[in-house]
Amino acid sequence: MDGDRVEIDGGIMEGGGQILRVSTALSCLLGLPLRVRRIRAGRSQPGLRPQHLSGLEIVRDLCDGKLNGGEIGSTEITFTPGKIKGGTHIADTKTAGSVCLLMQVAMPCVLFAASPSELHLKGGTNAEMAPQIDYTVMVFKPIIEKFNFTFNCDIKRRGYYPQGGGEVVVQMSPVKELSPINLTERGTVTKIYGRAFVAGALPIKLAKDMSAAAVRCIRREIRDLYINIQPVREPDDQAVGTGSGIIIVAETSTGCLLAGSSLGKRGKNADKVGIEAAEMLLQNLKHGGTVDDSLQDQLIIFMALAKGVSRVKSGPITLHTQTAIHFAEQLTKAKFTVRKSEEEHPGNDTYIIECQGMGMINPNL
């Protein structure tokens, strides 16, 4: 540490933008000055991309912090946080950079702000290498609200690769503290639903084909459940550019939500898009966990901040999750343990992620 600056190696483990998101959010919350080196060192284009830079800038703005090294391609930044304030903040990737990833870095911070916040996040809503906004609304939101807070997410416009241009508005009020969560009972699947979408120049037939292919694929494994995947065409005034994709959610008797999703792209057969999403969903259902592989790592920072012990049963621990745990433990007093869950089917690859949270208290309330 130089003068108590926490040193983060951005090139280890998963080695991507997630290290930046977890560490800057925690730096902001805990008032810890930060230096991150070797940012995205192993990636084909190392250093900050527009997506990551926008995330750093919104956290800086949320807490009147100081950011050095904040330019595209930079592999080292220093960040000195100030006091987290509420109010209206805008982050614009000016590309198809994911608004969902902007939300990931900003949300923990605004939970502990002095007053309510409104975040205008601009970029891609349904982009590769990130959760789709439909996933954020249909799966992330209801589960994350179990930490005892609520937020509102209004999709103003959808934006796709390559130009982006989407916008979502997130509104939330601060909390005194977060409650721990206990997601250890999977239950049985009670419904399967979703949406297959096209926007711009693409015909609705593509959405119908994605939906039908996904239903056929799921039917082979799950025969006795009504599967409702709506084909939709996004209204032209609510979407920028051309895009397509699908998200399918399974809901269980204990309120678990697990999903599979996929995006269309030029030259990719619509059936293939539907089948990819269906197979991802079936894979997530097979391991017997209460959360899917996309949600796993997104829960870690909230578990670390909560007051008390959180437990989550999951499938195999992803590298993203291991990485989030590593940096959450480095920066907070939270303690994580991961153990194999043996109870029901010895063959199942399930784990219990347990966390003694640090019990973050909002100093402003």
Side-chain angles (χ1 to χ4, degrees), residues 62 84-89 109-119 150 170-175 362 364-365:
L62 283 170
I84 308 174
K85 54 191 202 314
T88 301
H89 299 275
C109 303
V110 294
L111 276 174
F112 292 92
S115 59
S117 306
E118 183 169 291
L119 309 175
T150 57
V170 177
Q171 293 164 312
M172 58 197 309
S173 293
V175 294
N362 190 333
N364 307 298
L365 294 189

Side-chain angles (χ1 to χ4, degrees), residues 37-310:
R37 301 179 196 268
R38 298 204 320 130
I39 292 169
R40 301 180 67 255
R43 295 299 199 254
S44 57
Q45 291 182 295
L48 296 175
R49 306 299 306 143
Q51 154 76 56
H52 310 106
L53 184 53
S54 304
L56 288 172
E57 288 170 344
I58 195 168
V59 174
R60 176 197 65 196
D61 297 347
L62 283 170
C63 70
D64 280 332
K66 291 190 183 58
L67 174 66
N68 292 320
E71 52 262 345
I72 304 295
S74 168
T75 56
E76 183 173 325
I77 58 117
T78 61
F79 176 63
T80 312
K83 181 179 180 329
I84 308 174
K85 54 191 202 314
T88 301
H89 299 275
I90 297 171
D92 186 355
T93 66
K94 301 194 170 56
T95 64
S98 165
V99 296
C100 304
L101 296 180
L102 293 175
M103 200 185 305
Q104 265 183 39
V105 66
M107 186 174 284
C109 303
V110 294
L111 276 174
F112 292 92
S115 59
S117 306
E118 183 169 291
L119 309 175
H120 293 248
L121 309 175
K122 302 178 184 184
T125 57
N126 299 76
E128 290 284 4
M129 306 297 294
Q132 296 189 44
I133 192 66
D134 307 85
Y135 180 89
T136 301
V137 171
M138 293 164 77
V139 178
F140 173 81
K141 182 180 191 294
I143 302 295
I144 216 77
E145 287 181 341
K146 293 180 190 286
F147 285 101
N148 213 8
F149 68 91
T150 57
F151 69 95
N152 193 42
C153 179
D154 184 16
I155 305 168
K156 295 281 185 212
R157 256 191 330 279
R158 289 166 178 273
Y160 311 99
Y161 182 81
Q163 74 268 52
E167 180 180 3
V168 303
V169 178
V170 177
Q171 293 164 312
M172 58 197 309
S173 293
V175 294
K176 183 74 188 157
E177 60 189 23
L178 295 176
S179 304
I181 58 167
N182 190 29
L183 300 175
T184 50
E185 298 301 319
R186 222 294 283 284
T188 55
V189 177
T190 53
K191 40 172 120 130
I192 295 178
Y193 52 89
R195 70 195 301 269
F197 66 86
V198 291
L202 300 174
I204 187 75
K205 180 184 182 317
L206 280 182
K208 291 178 178 163
D209 289 351
M210 286 188 283
S211 168
V215 171
R216 281 196 304 272
C217 181
I218 296 167
R219 274 270 172 270
R220 289 204 287 273
E221 307 263 330
I222 300 173
R223 290 187 182 78
D224 47 353
L225 223 48
Y226 175 61
I227 303 170
N228 179 17
I229 304 172
Q230 284 307 135
V232 290
R233 194 187 142 70
E234 308 292 5
D236 285 334
D237 59 345
Q238 286 166 38
V240 176
T242 295
S244 65
I246 182 170
I247 174 164
I248 317 164
V249 178
E251 191 173 315
T252 76
S253 52
T254 53
C256 298
L257 298 165
L258 301 98
S261 62
S262 182
L263 286 169
K265 53 171 176 264
R266 194 166 261 176
K268 185 167 161 189
N269 177 314
D271 283 25
K272 185 169 188 283
V273 182
I275 290 165
E276 265 179 14
E279 286 178 342
M280 186 194 288
L281 174 68
L282 292 169
Q283 195 58 42
N284 277 318
L285 289 174
K286 207 168 260 139
H287 58 53
T290 62
V291 298
D292 62 34
D293 296 349
S294 304
L295 193 62
Q296 224 185 72
D297 69 288
Q298 296 182 60
L299 294 172
I300 298 301
I301 190 168
F302 296 98
M303 291 169 76
L305 294 168
K307 184 182 180 184
V309 177
S310 291

